[in-house]
Amino acid sequence: MLLSQNDLELFTAELDMRVLLVEDETDLGVAIKRTLKQQKYLVDWVTDGTEAWSCLENNWTQYTVVILDWMLPGLTGLELCKRLRAKGNSLPVLMLTARDRMEDRVAGLDAGADDYLVKPFGMAELLARLRALQRRFPNYQSQQLTVAGLTLDYANYKVISQNSVGEKQEFSLTNKEFQLLEYFMKHPNQIVSTEQIRNQIWELNAESGSNVVAAQVRLLRRKLTNNGCQNPIETLHGIGYRFNLTD
Ligand code: CA
């Protein structure tokens, strides 16, 4: 399967949000995931607290927000939230719960949740709460990353490149191109496999074969070279890719 340019451009609309949804009620999980995807959020959905912790413990940087149910098999949402904060992690957490007693809300907020939504709720309210979290944490992922003369501007989804004589140039990337370049820039001079890239940039269980990654790498390379950058991405056939630092 090869992604067409149209498919790729569908992702360009807004600043990307990757959501970890932790909800064990199937109907509600399906409804939330569908709603978020319609809004172009990337969604990883897990139904068990222990599984959620393994997503968060090692890969929390890929998420922008966690939607966390309180009552879960494995670890409870409250316990997950406490663990996250105990590690000094400030990832925004929106807790979902049927509990609406005052002391439960206090317990949720004390555990480090940033907001609280009582079931049942409407999808419009969920989206409004997510937008509010984005406004409250505008800097959560808005810093810049500079590697090898390339700067990623998270706030504006742009790349700023600097050539050998110090001239600066700005250009935009699609969300996928941006995520891909970010991944390469965070792993310079390392061989990264197609599977590592796919796991990092596409949703869990997404049907994205190695040719999707290859197509995306081609688009990113073209974008870089069309904007006067040297191509830093080396293809290692049958192995993966390497982002080479030139200096
Ligand atoms: Ca539940």
Side-chain angles (χ1 to χ4, degrees):
M1 183 190 79
L2 228 105
L3 276 183
S4 72
Q5 186 64 30
N6 274 352
D7 291 331
L8 296 170
E9 296 302 337
L10 281 177
F11 290 99
T12 64
E14 286 183 46
L15 194 67
D16 190 40
M17 285 254 293
R18 188 181 187 116
V19 177
L20 180 64
L21 169 63
V22 191
E23 171 56 71
D24 60 319
E25 286 173 47
T26 307
D27 291 350
L28 183 57
V30 167
I32 293 176
K33 182 165 181 173
R34 187 192 308 126
T35 300
L36 294 180
K37 289 188 76 144
Q38 282 165 356
Q39 302 294 316
K40 305 285 189 283
Y41 291 111
L42 285 171
V43 185
D44 288 339
W45 174 24
V46 296
T47 57
D48 177 277
T50 313
E51 197 181 345
W53 180 244
S54 62
C55 290
L56 288 172
E57 192 177 18
N58 300 313
N59 288 314
W60 67 270
T61 51
Q62 66 180 315
Y63 296 110
T64 323
V65 67
V66 185
I67 300 174
L68 187 57
D69 188 28
W70 182 309
M71 297 301 290
L72 293 164
L75 291 167
T76 67
L78 202 67
E79 180 59 33
L80 274 167
C81 205
K82 282 182 182 166
R83 282 194 185 191
L84 202 58
R85 299 309 183 224
K87 286 194 130 199
N89 189 319
S90 59
L91 185 63
V93 172
L94 173 61
M95 282 201 75
L96 306 180
T97 181
R99 297 167 183 242
D100 60 354
R101 294 181 308 152
M102 179 61 80
E103 54 266 43
D104 291 333
R105 292 188 205 206
V106 171
L109 295 170
D110 278 349
D114 298 290
D115 199 4
Y116 205 95
L117 198 49
V118 177
K119 297 177 184 177
F121 52 83
M123 290 300 149
E125 184 174 10
L126 175 71
L127 292 173
R129 297 293 183 104
L130 286 178
R131 287 193 296 271
L133 278 179
Q134 278 177 282
R135 285 195 298 274
R136 275 173 62 198
F137 297 91
N139 298 321
Y140 189 69
Q141 289 196 326
S142 68
Q143 71 275 39
Q144 294 190 336
L145 173 69
T146 300
V147 176
L150 289 173
T151 297
L152 289 182
D153 177 350
Y154 289 82
N156 299 304
Y157 248 50
K158 283 190 170 157
V159 179
I160 303 152
S161 68
Q162 196 164 0
N163 65 18
S164 51
V165 290
E167 292 167 336
K168 285 187 178 176
Q169 189 169 9
E170 272 188 28
F171 53 98
S172 302
L173 297 177
T174 67
N175 284 4
K176 279 284 184 285
E177 289 164 355
F178 193 93
Q179 291 173 325
L180 185 58
L181 182 57
E182 179 193 27
Y183 187 73
F184 280 130
M185 287 169 68
K186 286 183 172 175
H187 300 84
N189 293 335
Q190 291 174 35
I191 295 171
V192 291
S193 69
T194 302
E195 192 177 353
Q196 283 173 306
I197 294 171
R198 192 172 54 224
N199 290 344
Q200 182 69 25
I201 297 177
W202 278 268
E203 291 176 11
L204 297 177
N205 308 319
E207 288 183 35
S208 47
S210 57
N211 48 1
V212 174
V213 176
Q216 195 65 69
V217 169
R218 275 199 301 277
L219 288 170
L220 174 60
R221 265 202 197 110
R222 193 190 309 160
K223 190 71 74 79
L224 290 173
T225 52
N226 284 353
N227 286 283
C229 303
Q230 286 195 334
N231 169 35
I233 306 163
E234 180 186 1
T235 301
L236 302 154
H237 289 288
I239 301 170
Y241 302 91
R242 184 167 51 206
F243 182 86
N244 291 313
L245 297 184
T246 45
D247 46 346

